[in-house]
Amino acid sequence: MFDPVIAPSGTLLGLLQRGRGDGTLHALTAPRAEALAALDECVLHDPRHDWQVENRSLYYARLYLDLHGELDAVEAHLFSPEDALDPEESRTGLALAVLGHLASYGRLDALGMLRRYAAHGANWAWALDELALRDDDAGLRALAAPVLARFPRDAEGEAELARTVRDAFEPRPWRLWADDPRASVATRVRAAREAGSFDRWQRQMSPSGPRPGWSVGAVLAWARQGVERGTPRHVPAARCLMAVAGPEDRPEIVEAARSGPEGARCTALRHLADANDPDALDLIETAALTATGPVVEAAVDAFERMRSLAAVDRARRWVHRPGPLGAAAARVLACRGGVQDRAPVLAALRDAVRGEGPDASTLWTLVDGTGRLGIGCAAPVLRHVYRETASSHLRGRAARALAATDPSFATGFAVECLWDCEESTREIAARYAETGDSRVVERLRRLAADPAEEDDVQTAVRSRFGPDAPAV
């Protein structure tokens, strides 16, 4: 999937693509045709940089409801000829998830579209999962025949069916079909479920990775093989070392961390850091300054995992260095430093925004640390990150940091956060938004009554309406 093109943050499309609360507020006051066109663009061309973790579906579904939006564009997208040519989940997953939420709100057109797509679409398994949560038994039973028809009645088709049943995210349809009164349906599904269970048992009985009794050398060799095959294994290999290594193995592990091949060196560095070995910090420094590529990444990652006072003291010495080691030191101070570390953390935050922009990966930790350390003068930078980042998760972290550093948060960004696409951001807003704004009171009441809203958000809302809460 190509990286999405995100419109400027000051435009309606840019706001909706980012999932910002202001996107909904602006869409509700914009010309309806313009708002629906921007909404369709977001749903049909997923704007998320990480579509597997960022939330947008409930956000877009609620806006379709508020705008009384038609689903013609979504239907054309799902049932276009391109569906057969590009069956990737990233092309249709967001649209199907939006339809799922709309179906739960009672939109029968969305429910019917999901049923049709489950019967005929390429990404049918996703649609079936949405229906498993929302459709009745009769609707699901009607899909048994078209879904099973996707699997030929030969050995290869039956094996694929067994894998599909075994890996199903929502098992409800398959359980229904296993008890279907039609023998042709029930017999196939039951056989597929049994085959899938047997396959799972076989895999558990025949593990391909490290086993009890492996030596340190065998674990390091396994890590080296991962590099040769293009599958890094140093993280699981380091966990294996924790189980098999004894005091007598330390010289071998230290030597691997100092000069071993890539896979073994990465594994040894991580193991020594996790074990808080007295030589770990010196070995990490050497690797970060002299090695290249994956070894440097593994070294700084191992350093950031360390929780000792010695690691924090070393971070204070390294934080002014250029390069990955200095950047990692700033993140360590952001997570575990004290008030005396505010200046270098703030400097690292500003440098990251200036040098890499509002979506730099290092900002996640630095933004959290800015809030944890209460760096009030960082509020302007945090506001910039909040407005400009394309990541709804990073925006939520910026909102949490602003709640701790910006006195204007409760009457500013907290209000729009009540409409944000991320539940954690709505939860922050529910706790902080100033209720002097009439929109806030109305929105809190709507969130409290919405069955689709997450429990944590509703708990935060109830805390504002409780007997000890300020008047709302």
Side-chain angles (χ1 to χ4, degrees):
M1 178 181 178
F2 294 103
D3 285 338
V5 177
I6 304 298
S9 61
T11 64
L12 175 58
L13 178 59
L15 290 170
L16 291 179
Q17 287 176 319
R18 289 168 172 80
R20 278 183 55 181
D22 258 4
T24 294
L25 297 175
H26 279 65
L28 295 177
T29 58
R32 182 172 176 274
E34 177 186 343
L36 285 174
L39 178 56
D40 287 339
E41 172 67 19
C42 293
V43 173
L44 306 189
H45 304 95
D46 195 334
R48 296 170 291 181
H49 281 274
D50 191 343
W51 64 274
Q52 293 179 310
V53 298
E54 291 188 43
N55 295 316
R56 291 292 189 281
S57 55
L58 180 59
Y59 172 84
Y60 293 143
R62 283 171 167 168
L63 190 51
Y64 272 117
L65 290 176
D66 291 340
L67 294 173
H68 304 287
E70 302 84 4
L71 301 176
D72 295 348
V74 176
E75 183 176 24
H77 176 73
L78 292 178
F79 296 99
S80 71
E82 188 180 357
D83 189 59
L85 302 175
D86 183 8
E88 291 296 323
E89 291 181 339
S90 56
R91 193 189 82 85
T92 54
L94 178 58
L96 294 171
V98 169
L99 291 178
H101 284 298
L102 288 173
S104 69
Y105 280 118
R107 286 282 297 258
L108 297 181
D109 53 346
L111 180 64
M113 207 178 300
L114 279 174
R115 288 171 174 170
R116 284 177 53 212
Y117 191 83
H120 305 291
N123 191 13
W124 62 272
W126 190 311
L128 187 61
D129 285 339
E130 296 291 339
L131 291 168
L133 298 173
R134 298 170 175 95
D135 207 353
D136 56 27
D137 288 356
L140 290 175
R141 286 197 180 97
L143 291 171
V147 167
L148 291 178
R150 295 175 178 275
F151 303 94
R153 286 183 174 273
D154 54 24
E156 185 176 345
E158 298 300 339
E160 179 63 25
L161 176 60
R163 288 191 293 270
T164 301
V165 174
R166 181 196 67 201
D167 299 334
F169 190 74
E170 293 292 343
R172 181 182 163 221
W174 303 101
R175 290 173 180 167
L176 276 175
W177 298 341
D179 296 327
D180 196 281
R182 293 165 291 183
S184 59
V185 172
T187 301
R188 282 195 81 189
V189 174
R190 287 174 186 168
R193 294 179 71 187
E194 291 173 2
S197 298
F198 181 72
D199 179 61
R200 186 181 294 111
W201 175 80
Q202 279 189 313
R203 289 191 298 169
Q204 291 170 345
M205 294 298 291
S206 304
S208 59
R211 305 167 186 71
W214 270 33
S215 65
V216 167
V219 173
L220 295 178
W222 184 68
R224 290 198 303 271
Q225 292 168 6
V227 174
E228 295 167 359
R229 297 173 181 177
T231 307
R233 294 172 173 170
H234 65 275
V235 174
R239 290 198 295 267
C240 292
L241 283 185
M242 280 293 185
V244 305
E248 70 280 3
D249 298 306
R250 182 177 179 274
E252 181 181 359
I253 297 173
V254 169
E255 182 58 30
R258 181 179 292 114
S259 58
E262 180 182 311
R265 193 174 187 184
C266 294
T267 300
L269 287 168
R270 188 177 182 100
H271 167 77
L272 293 172
D274 288 349
N276 202 26
D277 187 277
D279 289 335
L281 290 166
D282 291 336
L283 291 166
I284 286 170
E285 182 177 17
T286 299
L289 297 178
T290 62
T292 58
V295 175
V296 174
E297 294 177 9
V300 298
D301 182 62
F303 171 55
E304 290 187 59
R305 291 172 54 83
M306 299 182 73
R307 299 293 185 268
S308 64
L309 292 177
V312 176
D313 289 339
R314 193 68 67 97
R316 291 177 178 134
R317 289 167 47 187
W318 291 345
V319 72
H320 300 294
R321 291 185 176 184
L325 195 58
R331 292 192 291 270
V332 168
L333 295 180
C335 292
R336 290 177 285 283
V339 292
Q340 70 269 36
D341 302 308
R342 287 174 172 172
V345 171
L346 176 59
L349 177 71
R350 288 171 171 165
D351 288 345
V353 172
R354 281 196 297 261
E356 301 179 59
D359 292 306
S361 58
T362 191
L363 286 176
W364 294 56
T365 304
L366 294 175
V367 164
D368 285 348
T370 302
R372 186 183 72 84
L373 296 172
I375 308 176
C377 56
V381 184
L382 293 173
R383 293 191 203 108
H384 174 76
V385 172
Y386 177 96
R387 293 190 188 97
E388 299 299 328
T389 180
S391 167
S392 53
H393 280 187
L394 178 56
R395 182 177 64 251
R397 289 170 181 255
R400 190 176 296 277
L402 284 167
T405 59
D406 186 1
S408 69
F409 177 71
T411 56
F413 284 138
V415 176
E416 76 152 279
C417 284
L418 288 169
W419 285 265
D420 197 88
C421 66
E422 296 291 343
E423 63 174 277
S424 57
T425 307
R426 296 196 298 275
E427 179 187 353
I428 297 167
R431 297 189 185 280
Y432 286 93
E434 175 57 57
T435 55
D437 189 326
S438 60
R439 296 177 301 170
V440 171
V441 177
E442 179 184 354
R443 182 62 175 174
L444 288 173
R445 288 174 174 156
R446 180 171 176 179
L447 292 176
D450 191 337
E453 188 52 79
E454 300 292 340
D455 291 342
D456 289 343
V457 178
Q458 294 194 325
T459 298
V461 172
R462 285 193 291 270
S463 72
R464 304 295 298 275
F465 287 93
D468 298 325
V472 176

